[in-house]
Amino acid sequence: MNPRIRERAKHLRRNLGWFVRDRFPNRKVVREVQGVRMVLPWAHRLPDYAGEDGPYGQNLVQLASLLARASAPVTMIDVGANVGDSTLQVLHAADARVLCIEADPHYLEYLHLNVDKEAHVSVVEALLTPDAKTGAKTAVRTGGTTRFTEGGVEDAMRTVTPAELREQFPEFAGLRLVKSDTDGYDVALVPAIAEEWRDSRPVLFFEYDHRLSRLAGNDPLAVWPRLKELGYRDVAVWDNGGAPLGRTTVDDIAERTAPLEERIGIRALTYWDVAVVHQDDAAGLAALEQLVPAAQSL
């Protein structure tokens, strides 16, 4: 069979499967994803993205493992924890303590099913916001992820700020790693977390998506000068499937983001995972170097 036809047939089967599974959003299934068992909604896309043993999501796991080798346990905040898949995989690979933050009631049910038995995990049922001024938000779900939009007071999510988190969970005062996947709010949340924990200089790992950032009302390019002001410098970049693309710096990355931009009539179909390390974080830089060497320029 022609490779192009075979690929189209593969996509057709996958999309048909998603269409059927989306009709049953509340059906619970148990899946083993990259060696870790978890409870998922049948419609969740994670098993499809991860495959049998693919690189999807493993960049974060490898980063946490390397940081834990340097100093354990590694303390991590998981913003947009969803069903707890990232947290479970980090715990499977590293000595870690994790603070999960999730606001969507639908995924909170699965998050609790997956992590409540873990002694080193705490869950905050709230929407993390940069400050207390953020207006009411409501959840919009698509394919295993949630985007938060302006909503009415009656269906608004409870909110929490980075300052409130730090006060409520003093055991995370020495925060080492931040993971954020919030469909467009990452570029606002990550600098706010980094500023609150600027004394511990955590490694910042987040989803970087120009289209969703702008849809959420955020400027995706504004994140880089903000992080530079806080002393961050080195950046590793992976594609949305977890394959390493290269290294750059907060000074230079804005000039390399053309693949993330939408063009007239053409929607951008990609985002990046990025890890950003403080200029004074030798262990973080060493971990970055093992995952994506500086010689591999973006």
Side-chain angles (χ1 to χ4, degrees), residues 29-238:
V29 297
V30 177
R31 295 286 184 262
E32 184 168 299
V33 181
Q34 297 163 317
V36 179
R37 288 174 64 84
M38 59 189 74
V39 183
L40 298 170
W42 191 35
H44 208 289
R45 308 291 196 252
L46 177 62
D48 307 284
Y49 294 153
E52 291 294 327
D53 193 26
Y56 182 85
Q58 294 306 294
N59 41 14
L60 172 66
V61 176
Q62 292 162 359
L63 179 59
S65 181
L66 289 169
L67 293 174
R69 289 181 202 172
S71 180
V74 62
T75 48
M76 182 178 94
I77 289 183
D78 185 354
V79 186
N82 198 264
V83 298
D85 50 296
S86 295
T87 289
L88 289 176
Q89 293 199 336
V90 166
L91 290 173
H92 182 70
D95 182 1
R97 291 188 63 89
V98 186
L99 179 59
C100 293
I101 306 164
E102 179 56 55
D104 188 339
H106 177 69
Y107 293 120
L108 274 168
E109 179 184 4
Y110 293 90
L111 177 61
H112 282 294
L113 286 171
N114 285 321
V115 307
D116 279 359
K117 63 183 180 296
E118 302 289 345
H120 299 301
V121 178
S122 299
V123 175
V124 176
E125 298 186 4
L127 180 68
L128 185 66
T129 60
D131 52 55
K133 302 175 184 176
T134 303
K137 302 288 182 182
T138 188
V140 177
R141 302 179 196 98
T142 53
T145 189
T146 303
R147 177 170 56 85
F148 292 93
T149 63
E150 296 297 328
V153 174
E154 67 280 356
D155 60 353
M157 309 291 174
R158 185 173 80 86
T159 62
V160 65
T161 66
E164 291 167 338
L165 274 183
R166 183 161 188 173
E167 181 180 0
Q168 293 168 20
F169 295 90
E171 63 270 33
F172 286 86
L175 183 63
R176 192 66 187 97
L177 177 60
V178 175
K179 169 259 174 179
S180 181
D181 181 356
T182 57
D183 282 8
Y185 291 94
D186 311 279
V187 295
L189 292 175
V190 168
I193 298 169
E195 184 167 8
E196 181 61 38
W197 271 276
R198 64 191 308 161
D199 55 330
S200 63
R201 303 188 293 269
V203 177
L204 311 173
F205 182 96
F206 59 98
E207 182 180 284
Y208 185 59
D209 188 315
H210 277 202
R211 184 183 70 87
L212 288 180
S213 295
R214 293 190 175 112
L215 193 61
N218 298 310
D219 177 3
L221 298 179
V223 66
W224 306 116
R226 288 190 64 191
L227 293 180
K228 181 179 179 179
E229 290 175 0
L230 294 169
Y232 285 83
R233 184 185 63 198
D234 293 274
V235 185
V237 179
W238 295 261

Side-chain angles (χ1 to χ4, degrees), residues 63 67 70 176 203 277-278 280-290:
L63 179 59
L67 293 174
R176 192 66 187 97
V203 177
V277 172
H278 195 277
D280 296 329
D281 183 1
L285 185 59
L288 217 61
E289 184 66 19
Q290 288 196 52

